[in-house]
Amino acid sequence: MSLKRQPVLFLDLQTTGAKPDSAHILEIAWSSLQAEAVESYLIQQPPEQPVPRRIQFITGIYEKDMDTARPLEEAFASLQTFINVQLGASPLAVIHFAQFEKPFLLDAYQKLQQEMPFSILCTHEIAKRLFPNLPTRGIKGLAGYFGCPSGELKRASNHVQATQIIWQGLTSALEEKGILNFAQLQDWMSETPKIARTKYEYPLPKEKRLSLPKKPGVYRMISRWGEVLYVGKATSLHDRVNSYFRGQKNRDTRKLEMLTQVWDLQVTTVGSPLEAALLETDEIKRLDPPYNISLKVGRRELAFFNRDFTSVSTTADDIHSIGPFSNVLALDSILKLSQSLQAPHFDENIFYEPLDSTLLVEGFDLFCARHDLNKEHFKSVRAILAVGLNWYRQLAEEEESEDLEEDTVAPESDEVLTAEDIADKFERHFLRSAAAYVRAKQLTRLLNTRIAIRSQENTELILSQGQVVTSPNTVSNPKDAWKNLSIETYDRMTVLHTELNKLRAQNQSVEIHRL
């Protein structure tokens, strides 16, 4: 019987660890080419053994999902029924990277006191012989190579669907070698050694990337399916894109997974690297490529405060006009400090991690003593912010505040903190809050501007309400600058701000005129 028509069982497991002696089957899924859908079951875990947090993140299976879990014997009984009805006795089970699943399956059938009712064929082992120089033969990369739309592929059912596509791609490739049935495949597997990878071979035609212009622009990496996998910017499209395909050692595995799926490129040339950076952020929002991480909207929300910093909103309005801030936590530490100074005790979570209230008071007293400040001075958030702004401007003159613009959450630590450490924290958070405030002002000023860059390639941009335009539009009241604007505009202005700073650092002339 032809391999393409061979009745096979596609199967996948998710587990709580790497080996059955210390882990358990968490999920099982299966299907066949003839079946209309994939069947899957969550498996009940032993008492007092919750799903590890790391496994929850990897698989997307959380404790709340386990309410629907079935006993192992029930799930495997359903699998046996499927085999009996759909495939008959002793079918072939096609599994990707079966060396992982096989020990768990053998262990499960031993616990059930049953013989494993199928033989196993590993698509990964076939791919290693057919495509020895493909950058990756992992399930996501290989499925994408054969045209599977990109996705998270976390759950066992997703892996079964991907394995089906891989199997169909492999059988077509085997057919081209004259391997038409299972017996021939077995012979070929036994006779064909695993070939060591010598040089990566990519599906993207080499001449496609070598013909790219040495001009600034945006490139889009396209899958066989026509999906945009990644969007990037370049000062030179030719140099940047070809850099992905150079070198063999210490390559990023995620990047290799993506390049295994890239069959085509789309590029847009622009007049300058600055324009490329602005176009990139817009294209990432428009296309939502799976391999981009930065500049995606996701669940991000901006924050705008009222004048007294007593109220916050995710959108700008007549009351909330102070902003934009990257999130509601941008000024959280000084807001909690202001509240603490008017309360009997300091908020233990001022710095995002529980700290002793008494230690916080001691640290703040030391902070005030260092800088000859009186606690009575800090009667409002604006007064706290004013101190930070004064320091920030002094540091900015010395070009030492660049890394303070983004507020960060402190990592957990077992180190015992002292009052001196707390005083240092207050200094950093005063500066970070000031930097976030200054940044908001700078981004707002860029919304409606004419920018001229004098260099070898003179560039002029006109921005109206954060959009690049050919001629200026009517400018709104500065107090209403961010009304009806969102995270897309924020990211565009952030990219513009960053790129302009880079140009200044390169001693290029940057002229900014407000409209």
Side-chain angles (χ1 to χ4, degrees), residues 54-225:
R54 181 179 64 85
I55 300 300
Q56 292 183 40
F57 176 77
I58 291 172
T59 63
I61 300 171
Y62 299 95
E63 280 299 324
K64 61 182 176 61
D65 300 313
M66 298 304 290
D67 293 340
T68 61
R70 308 277 188 89
L72 181 71
E73 56 269 21
E74 184 178 327
F76 274 67
S78 296
L79 171 59
Q80 187 62 56
T81 299
F82 178 88
I83 291 172
N84 294 341
V85 173
Q86 292 277 342
L87 302 168
S90 302
L92 178 67
V94 175
I95 303 174
H96 194 75
F97 205 69
Q99 70 183 63
F100 176 82
E101 269 86 355
K102 188 173 181 179
F104 282 95
L105 289 169
L106 290 171
D107 179 70
Y109 279 108
Q110 184 177 12
K111 290 175 180 175
L112 296 172
Q113 297 182 340
Q114 299 174 14
E115 293 290 329
M116 192 161 65
F118 45 76
S119 57
I120 293 176
L121 181 65
C122 179
T123 49
H124 186 266
E125 288 298 314
I126 300 173
K128 285 173 73 172
R129 291 164 171 80
L130 277 174
F131 306 105
N133 292 324
L134 205 62
T136 180
R137 293 172 293 260
I139 190 166
K140 188 172 182 179
L142 196 58
Y145 175 81
F146 288 122
C148 178
S150 181
E152 286 192 327
L153 296 189
K154 286 188 171 184
R155 300 294 294 267
S157 57
N158 302 136
H159 285 205
V160 166
Q161 292 168 331
T163 303
Q164 287 179 303
I165 290 173
I166 290 171
W167 175 246
Q168 291 169 329
L170 291 176
T171 52
S172 294
L174 288 166
E175 190 175 61
E176 293 177 4
K177 289 183 169 290
I179 302 165
L180 306 177
N181 56 51
F182 184 55
Q184 290 174 332
L185 176 59
Q186 285 181 307
D187 291 340
W188 178 78
M189 291 281 287
S190 63
E191 296 169 359
T192 307
K194 299 172 187 177
I195 304 172
R197 183 184 283 126
T198 56
K199 185 179 180 180
Y200 289 134
E201 294 177 359
Y202 302 95
L204 178 71
K206 189 175 182 180
E207 58 273 12
K208 181 85 176 183
R209 55 185 174 84
L210 291 177
S211 64
L212 293 175
K214 292 192 173 186
K215 294 181 178 180
V218 165
Y219 56 92
R220 304 162 194 85
M221 294 190 169
I222 313 296
S223 75
R224 193 173 192 171
W225 197 265

Side-chain angles (χ1 to χ4, degrees), residues 208 358 414:
K208 181 85 176 183
T358 302
D414 294 330

Side-chain angles (χ1 to χ4, degrees), residues 12 413 504 515:
D12 188 84
S413 174
R504 293 188 184 100
L515 300 177

Side-chain angles (χ1 to χ4, degrees), residues 2 373 432:
S2 167
L373 297 168
R432 285 174 178 167

